[in-house]
Amino acid sequence: MAAHKPVEWVQAIINRFDEQLPIKTGQQSTHSKVSTEHNKECLINISRYKFALVINGLTNILKNVNNMYIDPLMCLFGALSLDFISQPKDCLRLDEAMLVKQLLPEICHFLHSYREGQQHAAQLRSSASAVLFSLSCNNFNAVFSRISTRLQELTVCTEDTVDVHDIELIQYINVDCSKLKRLLQETVLKFKSLKKPAQLAVISSLEKAFWNWVEHYPDEFTMLYQRPQADMADCAEKLFDLVDSFAESAKRKAAVWPLQIILLILCPEITQSITKEVGGEEKANKKSFVDSLRKALGQHSGSRQLTESAAVACVKLCKACTYINWEDNSVIFLLVQSIVMDLKGLLFNPTKPFSRGAGCQSADVDLMIDCFVSCYRVSPRNNQHFKVCLASTSPPTFHFVLVNSLHKIITNSHLDWWPKIDAIYCYSGELRTMFADTLGRVVQSLGAHPPLRMTSSLTFKEKMTSLKFKEKSTDLDSRSLLLALVKLIHADPKLMLHNPGKPGQEIQNSTAELIKGLVQLVPLNHSTELSQEAMEVRLFVSLNLLFGIVNQKLKLKNVIKN
């Protein structure tokens, strides 16, 4: 049947996938979920040969699914995303290009119709953006054409209120070096003719596009500092000048500084001349920009907005530097060194925690994590901010930032020159204390049995630290921190098990108590994720210990033999 009637066969699979979506079957059982996943895998495999048929079928389903039904949407977005990843690069024919243009408005609808505060908004936007990212890998021209057309329309628009949704697509697409260059060149041509809302949308979206490039094509960015590209630097400098002219007030400066630092990073030779304080009059606005950043970061600008924007821009500078091998261009690291102390003093001040307001708490935490991780990667031994975050008297947010930063350092370390976590092993005792006290607060707040305390194996210093961890965070804060700590143990058990120079019995006791703490979390019904994670970590830690014991015995046997 498949060989003689491919259209009917593909349609049968699509119909079965449609019929098994939760919108039609109701609450899915384990069996129906497995069946849906199986059908999704079939569609992905078929799409390698009948891409147009599969995409057409899924697009039609997507048009008919109500926005309120999150589960079928998630299934559809997952299938579409994987289909585009599986699409052969050389298969884009005319009919398939037309299908992409039909699907693109549907994806854009889901990206644009969900705003912050709506139920499932972030989840749906993330899934829809994943489809757009995958679609743009092999169909960049279709997405770029939509963006370019909207930019052109807005250059002649006389209305003050404009629709910038299509411009915002820039932040979701897959861009390599050449595609980023096209976006910058297109912006340079049209930026001056745009109204302020469109200009701000372009500024925000281009910044996100830069990080999409760096994070997905880090080798290309690294190469930029080994072999600077004149055409990339040229359009980046032109856009810098346009944006600089746009930023005529403190409010506008605050909006554009994060993009301006990125545009400056894309001009290695200009950055070098600024750092060495050489260069002609034509580079004066770049030097003035860097001086303004330093002034605002030191809180001498008299504007809170500028200080906050300077913090964001400088974190982005530090983060970008981690993707450059210091052997390739050490000059830009001099720029980082000139601002990093003020930056850490602003973000990691326990007596005056950094905050951009109640609605920015999550973004503030992400900013602090990026700063922590970037500073570690640039200079792992320079860890004053680490000690501040570890201090028992610091705000709970600092502890959360510390634990999540360590997890990121362990789990995201794909560049050769990024340092590993072993420089932090010496703080294992303090981290165990944090785990014990956080566990105690969570167990007590849930009304469970009295917590198992890590006391017998603690040193005097560790006991004193334990007494200082006061119950100053909410139950939700403590549970979030505890889950982060358990995930950290899962990522690298040695970080909590390290006991250099301690007697054997003390090592055994601290290890046993760590496992007992994890055991205590397994039966908790109040937090399924925490319980499941603790169960997996307990097994993982036990296996690591067993492997370590066996390995030591084998080494001992070899020594005896020799």
Side-chain angles (χ1 to χ4, degrees), residues 57-94:
L58 292 177
T59 303
N60 289 333
I61 296 174
L62 188 61
K63 288 177 181 177
N64 297 320
V65 173
N66 189 297
N67 289 15
M68 297 301 293
Y69 294 95
I70 184 169
D71 288 336
L73 282 172
M74 298 298 285
C75 287
L76 277 166
F77 287 146
L80 283 165
S81 179
L82 291 168
D83 277 341
F84 281 110
I85 290 172
S86 304
Q87 179 192 11
K89 285 186 171 23
D90 58 350
C91 80
L92 193 62
R93 295 180 291 275
L94 182 62

Side-chain angles (χ1 to χ4, degrees), residues 205-219:
S205 297
L206 279 175
E207 182 205 325
K208 293 181 174 69
F210 169 82
W211 291 112
N212 274 343
W213 171 50
V214 171
E215 288 168 5
H216 289 91
Y217 300 94
D219 291 345

Side-chain angles (χ1 to χ4, degrees), residues 334-400:
L334 296 177
L335 184 57
V336 170
Q337 287 171 9
S338 71
I339 56 94
V340 74
M341 292 307 295
D342 283 339
L343 177 61
K344 289 193 286 190
L346 178 63
L347 294 184
F348 298 102
N349 183 350
T351 59
K352 189 182 177 183
F354 180 80
S355 174
R356 286 175 287 177
C360 299
Q361 289 175 339
S362 178
D364 289 343
V365 168
D366 289 341
L367 185 70
M368 292 173 72
I369 290 172
D370 276 345
C371 182
F372 189 109
V373 173
S374 299
C375 288
Y376 183 80
R377 286 173 177 165
V378 171
S379 181
R381 302 294 172 184
N382 188 2
N383 57 10
Q384 297 96 329
H385 58 294
F386 177 84
K387 293 174 181 176
V388 170
C389 288
L390 189 60
S392 55
T393 52
S394 291
T397 303
F398 283 38
H399 302 152
F400 187 78

